[in-house]
Amino acid sequence: MSADNMQIPYKIYLEEKEMPRQWYNVRADMKNKPAPLLNPATLQPMTAQELGNVFCDELVKQELDDSNAYIDIPAEILDFYKMYRPSPLVRAYCLEKKLQTPAKIYYKFEGNNTSGSHKLNSAIAQAYYAKKQGLKGVTTETGAGQWGTALSMACSYFELDCKVFMVKVSYEQKPFRREVMRTYGASVTPSPSETTQVGRKILAEHPGTTGSLGCAISEAVEAATCQEGYRYVLGSVLNQVLLHQSVIGLETKAALDKYGIVPDIIIGCAGGGSNLGGLISPFMGEKLRGERDYRIIAVEPASCPSFTRGRYAYDFCDTGRVCPLSKMYTLGSGFIPSANHAGGLRYHGMSSTLSQLYDEGLMEARSVEQTAVFRAAEEFARIEGILPAPESAHAICAAIDEAMKCKETGEEKTIVFGLTGTGYFDMVAYEKYNNGEMTDYIPTDAELEAGLAGLPVIEN
Ligand SMILES: *Cc1c(COP(=O)(O)O)cnc(C)c1O
């Protein structure tokens, strides 16, 4: 269903004054709330005080808030948003023509900022609340570097110290992201490092290790909790991050409403679930309140299939098992995707909010293999002009599949997907694809069982 095609421009922009002034908290409209984070020592729900030792106070409030549907976006954050938002909602006319599909395809493009992804939407909010609390700085981990880049931009804006623990192998192999972070004033430490107790312990046990995300998280948490005036921040998975990312969905909905367009299918890639959670939130809200129905599809890599082959259970959020337990679709905190996996979205778990919605059948999930993902990325780059991040290309792949189904059936469905970022720093993965060296690997049931066998045993 949509208005007359001819009226719809290639890019639907909102005016500054039409930007959302509040984030939308989908948990407020959920009948069954996401399960609470548990203290790994006591197995009791984490209290605000316990969370406050690690996270900023205002962010703890947002994390635990299951009842307020709308939360004001502070003016300082709105001012920063105005530098790179509203982001365009693009009608993929050229792609539709190329595919010869009757489907109408739209994408919300979040790559129009220096960090190159949607992660800046939450980074700026988290940095703001840290500054407001009078903190000196924040610590975090980064793998490929998108989150570290976004956070260093946000911290430099608010003049906060930013300490990034970057997985050593990425630190050495991805010098460009590292230097972007340093340009924005962040200190970037290869992890594991000698600067923390846990880092020294890991180095002693595994000399020469190239590190992992789980280990970098453990170091970042220690660096925050052992230094006066520091807190730890995280770029995905948490409820607060989904809340900040709701700006994506609210803008999308406002842009569609301007032209009377009602999507049939909404698609997003899912790593920890923050961009997808943000994109779908206002639509999911309508669905939860019984006002409208949409098909919502999460797309994940076949090599890291948390939703499609994982288990809905309490698990550790990090490999080091120092963080709270979260009830989520998980492959086990020890799960590491196979070495040939190049496309990101490698987190073992998933947002607890999305996990609950998926468990209730309110959204679908599917997995795609990486050669298909890069084929879709290439097709999209050549016709729509934007070189997508491999993560975003998971959503492109599913959107093209749905558009091709419409071609078979002749249905004029309206498809909206999230184009989370650009892929300029992912050219090693593209090189592999271009050289015909990219392979697919789907973990066997036995391999997944081994990861799931390590789940903590919890009565609930
Ligand atoms: C981090 C990232 C993702 C995945 O994270 P989510 O929390 O699942 O959104 C997707 N796309 C890009 C470009 C990213 O940088």
Side-chain angles (χ1 to χ4, degrees):
M1 209 200 310
S2 82
D4 179 20
N5 268 358
M6 298 315 291
Q7 299 171 357
I8 297 165
Y10 272 68
K11 288 194 179 118
I12 306 179
Y13 279 108
L14 297 175
E15 288 178 50
E16 218 171 86
K17 61 174 192 288
E18 297 172 299
M19 284 174 69
R21 293 290 190 274
Q22 295 175 310
W23 291 301
Y24 168 63
N25 178 13
V26 73
R27 285 168 284 159
D29 283 313
M30 289 169 69
K31 208 165 73 208
N32 305 307
K33 308 297 180 190
L37 293 169
L38 298 186
N39 180 320
T42 63
L43 300 183
Q44 294 304 305
M46 291 288 287
T47 63
Q49 197 185 358
E50 287 168 336
L51 286 169
N53 295 328
V54 180
F55 299 113
C56 305
D57 297 341
E58 195 61 32
L59 293 167
V60 168
K61 252 169 88 187
Q62 295 179 357
E63 192 62 31
L64 298 176
D65 187 344
D66 283 346
S67 52
N68 289 303
Y70 289 95
I71 292 168
D72 286 342
I73 304 175
E76 292 88 339
I77 298 175
L78 261 179
D79 286 344
F80 188 86
Y81 278 171
K82 283 176 194 164
M83 287 196 279
Y84 70 101
R85 311 199 66 84
S87 70
L89 180 72
V90 185
R91 173 77 183 267
Y93 280 118
C94 300
L95 180 64
E96 288 170 18
K97 198 167 157 198
K98 170 98 187 299
L99 299 175
Q100 295 186 306
T101 173
K104 298 174 175 65
I105 308 173
Y106 295 84
Y107 58 90
K108 179 71 168 166
F109 182 46
E110 291 293 316
N112 250 338
N113 67 76
T114 294
S115 80
S117 82
H118 65 285
K119 290 198 173 70
L120 194 54
N121 301 333
S122 183
I124 194 64
Q126 298 196 44
Y128 167 76
Y129 290 117
K131 185 71 183 180
K132 203 172 143 222
Q133 196 174 324
L135 298 175
K136 289 189 199 127
V138 293
T139 71
T140 199
E141 76 290 336
T142 199
Q146 291 103 318
W147 168 243
T149 310
L151 188 68
S152 52
M153 287 177 71
C155 285
S156 71
Y157 182 75
F158 285 121
E159 298 181 326
L160 273 175
D161 188 28
C162 179
K163 291 185 199 294
V164 180
F165 289 87
M166 186 171 190
V167 178
K168 191 184 272 169
V169 61
S170 303
Y171 181 91
E172 286 162 0
Q173 290 179 359
K174 302 205 167 173
F176 295 145
R177 283 239 180 245
R178 184 183 79 207
E179 293 312 317
V180 177
M181 288 185 253
R182 294 181 62 214
T183 301
Y184 280 95
S187 75
V188 188
T189 307
S191 166
S193 75
E194 296 282 351
T195 68
T196 64
Q197 218 169 5
V198 56
R200 288 190 291 275
K201 181 161 170 274
I202 292 166
L203 282 173
E205 285 168 10
H206 308 279
T209 175
T210 54
S212 71
L213 210 52
C215 159
I217 295 178
S218 308
E219 285 204 274
V221 171
E222 181 185 321
T225 48
C226 297
Q227 281 176 96
E228 175 80 28
Y230 282 80
R231 291 293 185 281
Y232 168 71
V233 294
L234 184 62
S236 183
V237 185
L238 297 174
N239 292 330
Q240 57 187 274
V241 184
L242 266 73
L243 175 74
H244 306 146
Q245 297 296 358
S246 70
V247 69
I248 304 173
L250 292 164
E251 281 184 11
T252 302
K253 183 136 185 8
L256 291 171
D257 285 349
K258 258 186 148 174
Y259 289 89
I261 306 161
V262 180
D264 298 292
I265 308 175
I266 304 164
I267 298 170
C269 64
S274 73
N275 87 81
L276 176 68
L279 172 67
I280 68 172
S281 60
F283 303 97
M284 183 59 84
E286 290 183 304
K287 206 168 152 142
L288 288 164
R289 297 188 301 269
E291 296 163 8
R292 261 209 181 114
D293 200 14
Y294 302 99
R295 267 185 76 198
I296 293 171
I297 307 174
V299 192
E300 59 186 14
S303 53
C304 190
S306 324
F307 268 139
T308 50
R309 295 175 71 197
R311 192 170 296 162
Y312 191 30
Y314 266 107
D315 192 12
F316 292 94
C317 294
D318 62 320
T319 323
R321 302 186 155 210
V322 296
C323 295
L325 295 157
S326 175
K327 190 176 179 193
M328 57 185 174
Y329 276 85
T330 178
L331 299 166
S333 61
F335 180 84
I336 295 174
S338 77
N340 76 342
H341 174 69
L345 309 174
R346 46 177 63 243
Y347 187 59
H348 67 275
M350 188 52 66
S351 138
S352 62
T353 299
L354 292 189
S355 292
Q356 179 61 33
L357 293 166
Y358 178 64
D359 197 56
E360 289 180 44
L362 289 157
M363 53 185 271
E364 307 165 30
R366 73 176 61 157
S367 70
V368 286
E369 293 177 36
Q370 65 175 355
T371 50
V373 166
F374 277 81
R375 207 178 309 126
E378 183 190 75
E379 181 161 29
F380 185 83
R382 289 181 183 181
I383 196 75
E384 286 289 323
I386 296 171
L387 181 80
E391 293 90 342
S392 322
H394 287 73
I396 299 174
C397 186
I400 292 178
D401 285 349
E402 289 301 322
M404 294 312 281
K405 278 184 208 160
C406 289
K407 186 175 172 177
E408 279 169 32
T409 61
E411 287 172 289
E412 290 186 28
K413 284 191 179 152
T414 296
I415 301 168
V416 174
F417 73 89
L419 190 71
T420 49
T422 46
Y424 305 122
F425 291 110
D426 300 288
M427 296 326 288
V428 173
Y430 273 95
E431 180 186 26
K432 248 185 164 173
Y433 177 75
N434 291 333
N435 288 343
E437 290 160 0
M438 184 166 277
T439 53
D440 292 316
Y441 184 78
I442 302 177
T444 62
D445 288 341
E447 281 165 329
L448 292 185
E449 271 312 312
L452 294 170
L455 287 178
V457 180
I458 288 159
E459 310 284 333
N460 60 3

